[in-house]
Amino acid sequence: MIGKFVNGAGLSLIMLATGSPAFAYKEGRSPGEIPDIPGGWQHLFHELLIDITVIGVIFAAITIYFLIKYRRRQPGQEGRPPKLSPAAAIGWAVIPAFIFMADDLYLAAESWTLFNEIRTVPENAYEVKLEGAMWSWNFKYPDGVETTNELRVPAGTPIVVRMTSRDVIHSFFIPDFKVKEDLMPGRITYVWFYPKDPGEYLITCAEYCGVIHSSMRGTIIAMQKDEFNKWIEAEKKASMEGGA
């Protein structure tokens, strides 16, 4: 009975570890399609919840079964555990460890794949430079347009932000796109995100950088491409007229 139960539990975990739809969030993605980073994080978290729930339920059931079956039935009773053969003793130690390691390695592989996608900038990304300073975000576009605490971008285009810091370490965090990267004096770092649709998204600093750290916020405004192009042209014209 115990053997069948344990074998069934082990088989279920192995099936869970090997039979889950690997990288389900990537299903249906055509070659060259931009990865869905927020979807990847959600998929990974979903897999983690399923795994720890199934493992927890199975091992809790086994523990309860043993507690009931081998409970003390009369005062002074002492247990008489069966003497395990060397093979059985090794099996009881190795098989559970193997199951846990298989699941851990599976999740680690998915995490590594997602990390690589986060660090690989799509080829057609629109690049913006950023300098962080206490306590503002200063953006500079390829056309020379500059803004503070407001990043306007074309929707439907991946955006890469190459950044540095003027003073201390800051952390550029966009919760809606689930990306974050530090800004450091003397170094260039980067992060990319993909605003599929027009909308507004919060920017915040995720690294304590001084007494007004909590006020170091900004907004990403994703616009239709034609509206974005008009805005760039208007800003360039205003800049030229102001400098004339």
Side-chain angles (χ1 to χ4, degrees), residues 37-197:
I37 301 302
W41 281 117
Q42 292 173 1
H43 166 75
L44 191 61
F45 187 63
H46 180 71
E47 287 287 315
L48 178 64
L49 285 180
I50 291 176
D51 289 2
I52 61 177
T53 299
V54 172
I55 290 174
V57 168
I58 289 177
F59 278 81
I62 294 174
T63 301
I64 293 172
Y65 173 78
F66 283 161
L67 289 173
I68 295 174
K69 181 174 178 61
Y70 298 107
R71 70 188 184 279
R72 177 179 291 176
R73 291 180 170 77
Q74 57 188 6
Q77 182 182 9
E78 296 184 0
R80 296 179 180 176
K83 184 176 178 57
L84 297 177
S85 65
I90 293 174
W92 276 100
V94 171
I95 292 176
F98 170 78
I99 293 173
F100 277 113
M101 288 301 297
D103 189 59
D104 288 346
L105 293 174
Y106 169 76
L107 292 175
E110 286 207 335
S111 301
W112 182 249
T113 299
L114 180 60
F115 175 78
N116 284 331
E117 291 184 335
I118 292 173
R119 302 310 299 166
T120 304
V121 180
E123 294 182 355
N124 59 339
Y126 182 83
E127 183 172 325
V128 179
K129 289 184 170 53
L130 165 63
E131 183 183 63
M134 296 189 289
W135 292 270
S136 62
W137 306 107
N138 304 288
F139 299 100
K140 186 172 184 178
Y141 295 76
D143 309 85
V145 174
E146 298 184 16
T147 60
T148 298
N149 294 336
E150 182 180 280
L151 175 60
R152 292 178 181 256
V153 296
T157 301
I159 309 298
V160 56
V161 182
R162 300 197 184 276
M163 59 190 82
T164 187
S165 174
R166 186 187 305 167
D167 36 48
V168 300
I169 296 177
H170 303 278
S171 186
F172 187 71
F173 180 33
I174 317 173
D176 288 310
F177 298 109
K178 295 181 172 53
V179 292
K180 183 175 67 174
E181 187 63 44
D182 286 352
L183 295 75
M184 292 167 276
R187 290 187 60 179
I188 303 295
T189 56
Y190 71 93
V191 69
W192 74 270
F193 61 95
Y194 181 44
K196 296 179 182 177
D197 303 307

